[in-house]
Amino acid sequence: MKISPPDYILSIKPYVPGKPIEELEREYGISGSIKLASNENPLGPSPLALAAIEKALSGLHRYPDGSGYYLVSKLAQKLGVAPESIVLGNGSDDIIGMLTRALLLPGDEVIMTDPSFAMYDITTCMVNARSVYVPLIDRALPLDTVAGAVTSKTKMVFLTNPNNPTGTVFSGKAFERFLEAVPSDVVIVVDEAYIEFVQDPECARAFDFLDNSRPLVALRTFSKAYGLAGIRVGYGVMPPYLAAILNRIRQPFNVNSLAQVAAIAALDDEAFLKQTLAVVHDGLAWLYAELEKMGLRCFPSQANFFLVDVKKDAAAVFEEMLKQGVIIRSMVSYGYPSYIRVTVGLPEENARFVAALKAVLK
Ligand SMILES: *Cc1c(COP(=O)(O)O)cnc(C)c1O
């Protein structure tokens, strides 16, 4: 018997996950390929997190702590915020979904940029609300234009800082102006998945603007700088009344027990974070210099990835790079037909990427 889901569910464009590396290698008859496509940490997971996971394995017959007590306490202490203002998620994706499910009614408008992170639109459509797109200007998030797009139907705004896939940031001053321009009942979500990598001292930090006067949410994740993408843990910081609303619909055991101990240990792993930032910042500088020598335009990035204009069909370049065993991301579907996005890797991976790109563009 066929069922008919609501139209607004059928209208969701399914997220297309990348194929597993092993499968790609089999298809293309290659081996030893490198993945510079998903902005993951090239150093692997935090070693302290790994040790904590091993220690916790024997407790897997127990349910996780549904309140995430120790992780929340540690975050609250580290960030200087009240524990009541923190919501943990099975990755920050989970929090994005909780926000749209808990706060939106059918027909409400949600502003996001074009292009932007796929989960904003998917979770908006999931509750029959409407995505309103504001195009990026020169690859950057135009805060004034976003503020101008707010109408009486606007319930939520998603901002990504640094932005994915462009690596641009907006300043604290610009964000302050934005907050003054937007009505104080609009939920503003600032996704700071890459904030640890930022070098620009002017970059806005949503934490500096959190207070109880408006529903402002800062999203953070352990997936990138802490190298824990596979175990799924992120968090949102927001006014406690809003956190209490999300906690009503949060799955009670949304953050598994290994993720909780891993995140706690990773927060203490300052050496790993420092090494990660050094690898990314040195790698960015080296890659920019090498690609510039090839006459290619790279766009400055405050994250652990950057865009390159390869001046050819990026989908074709992606395919050819794959045959060389280097997985990058084509930006065709993001509206940049000749751009690729490259995640900074280890020095030897970066060198391999440059050599492969030379061979492909020759
Ligand atoms: C990688 C990324 C995230 C992190 O998502 P998790 O669910 O925490 O792994 C969030 N937002 C953006 C824009 C990202 O690129």
Side-chain angles (χ1 to χ4, degrees):
M1 181 87 131
K2 227 173 145 205
I3 55 159
S4 30
D7 285 343
Y8 62 88
I9 296 293
L10 291 175
S11 74
I12 296 175
K13 245 185 27 210
Y15 178 80
V16 184
K19 285 185 188 167
I21 278 199
E22 296 76 10
E23 193 53 28
L24 281 177
E25 291 191 335
R26 204 184 52 74
E27 258 174 48
Y28 284 79
I30 54 174
S31 63
S33 57
I34 56 168
K35 186 179 172 207
L36 304 175
S38 299
N39 307 336
E40 293 149 344
N41 192 320
L43 290 169
S46 141
L48 290 190
L50 273 187
I53 290 168
E54 271 172 35
K55 241 181 81 189
L57 285 173
S58 62
L60 280 183
H61 57 302
R62 304 271 182 219
Y63 280 101
D65 167 14
S67 67
Y69 181 84
Y70 294 105
L71 177 53
V72 166
S73 307
K74 178 135 200 126
L75 282 169
Q77 183 199 1
K78 193 156 176 126
L79 305 171
V81 300
E84 295 74 28
S85 62
I86 298 172
V87 178
L88 299 180
N90 182 37
S92 45
D93 284 3
D94 187 22
I95 315 225
I96 294 168
M98 284 187 237
L99 285 163
T100 59
R101 284 199 304 278
L103 303 175
L104 299 177
L105 285 169
D108 283 346
E109 292 185 356
V110 178
I111 299 181
M112 58 196 77
T113 60
D114 181 22
S116 67
F117 191 51
M119 289 314 293
Y120 309 154
D121 179 57
I122 291 175
T123 56
T124 296
C125 294
M126 209 149 67
V127 295
N128 203 11
R130 231 166 59 76
S131 299
V132 174
Y133 291 103
V134 172
L136 298 178
I137 297 180
D138 290 336
R139 298 165 313 283
L141 216 148
L143 281 186
D144 295 338
T145 318
V146 173
V150 172
T151 70
S152 58
K153 287 189 179 158
T154 308
K155 283 282 173 63
M156 196 174 287
V157 177
F158 283 106
L159 306 173
T160 320
N161 197 44
N163 193 39
N164 181 9
T166 59
T168 57
V169 294
F170 53 79
S171 70
K173 279 213 181 74
F175 190 53
E176 197 174 342
R177 270 203 314 275
F178 174 81
L179 290 177
E180 279 163 17
V182 174
S184 63
D185 59 348
V186 174
V187 180
I188 296 166
V189 184
V190 187
D191 183 344
E192 297 187 330
Y194 301 96
I195 198 81
E196 292 88 352
F197 299 105
V198 170
Q199 297 173 275
D200 178 354
E202 302 286 306
C203 176
R205 288 169 192 269
F207 286 0
D208 296 341
F209 299 89
L210 289 173
D211 60 33
N212 290 329
S213 69
R214 63 184 311 149
L216 173 62
V217 180
L219 293 182
R220 298 252 175 128
T221 181
F222 288 90
S223 295
K224 310 286 159 54
Y226 294 98
L228 294 174
I231 211 158
R232 314 301 302 130
V233 53
Y235 59 96
V237 185
M238 62 200 84
Y241 77 87
L242 184 50
I245 294 170
L246 293 205
N247 275 321
R248 286 171 184 250
I249 61 155
R250 184 175 63 80
Q251 296 213 13
F253 305 116
N254 64 330
V255 180
N256 71 73
S257 39
L258 300 183
Q260 291 187 33
V261 295
I264 291 168
L267 287 171
D268 280 332
D269 204 343
E270 279 167 28
F272 178 77
L273 185 60
K274 209 169 138 197
Q275 196 191 355
T276 297
L277 299 187
V279 163
V280 167
H281 295 156
D282 294 352
L284 268 179
W286 187 83
L287 284 162
Y288 286 151
E290 289 298 311
L291 295 167
E292 208 163 287
K293 279 190 231 160
M294 292 168 63
L296 295 176
R297 184 169 179 205
C298 303
F299 297 99
S301 170
Q302 293 292 321
N304 64 339
F305 57 81
F306 63 103
L307 295 178
V308 193
D309 185 354
V310 291
K311 295 181 280 193
K312 286 190 174 170
D313 172 28
V317 170
F318 163 80
E319 284 278 328
E320 290 306 311
M321 289 294 282
L322 205 50
K323 291 178 191 160
Q324 304 274 334
V326 178
I327 309 168
I328 42 100
R329 189 66 69 95
S330 153
M331 290 289 107
V332 171
S333 66
Y334 289 74
Y336 300 120
S338 69
Y339 292 8
I340 56 171
R341 192 192 66 194
V342 185
T343 307
V344 180
L346 298 172
E348 55 270 29
E349 293 175 323
N350 299 336
R352 213 175 128 190
F353 158 74
V354 169
L357 192 61
K358 275 183 185 157
V360 164
L361 296 180
K362 192 174 70 206

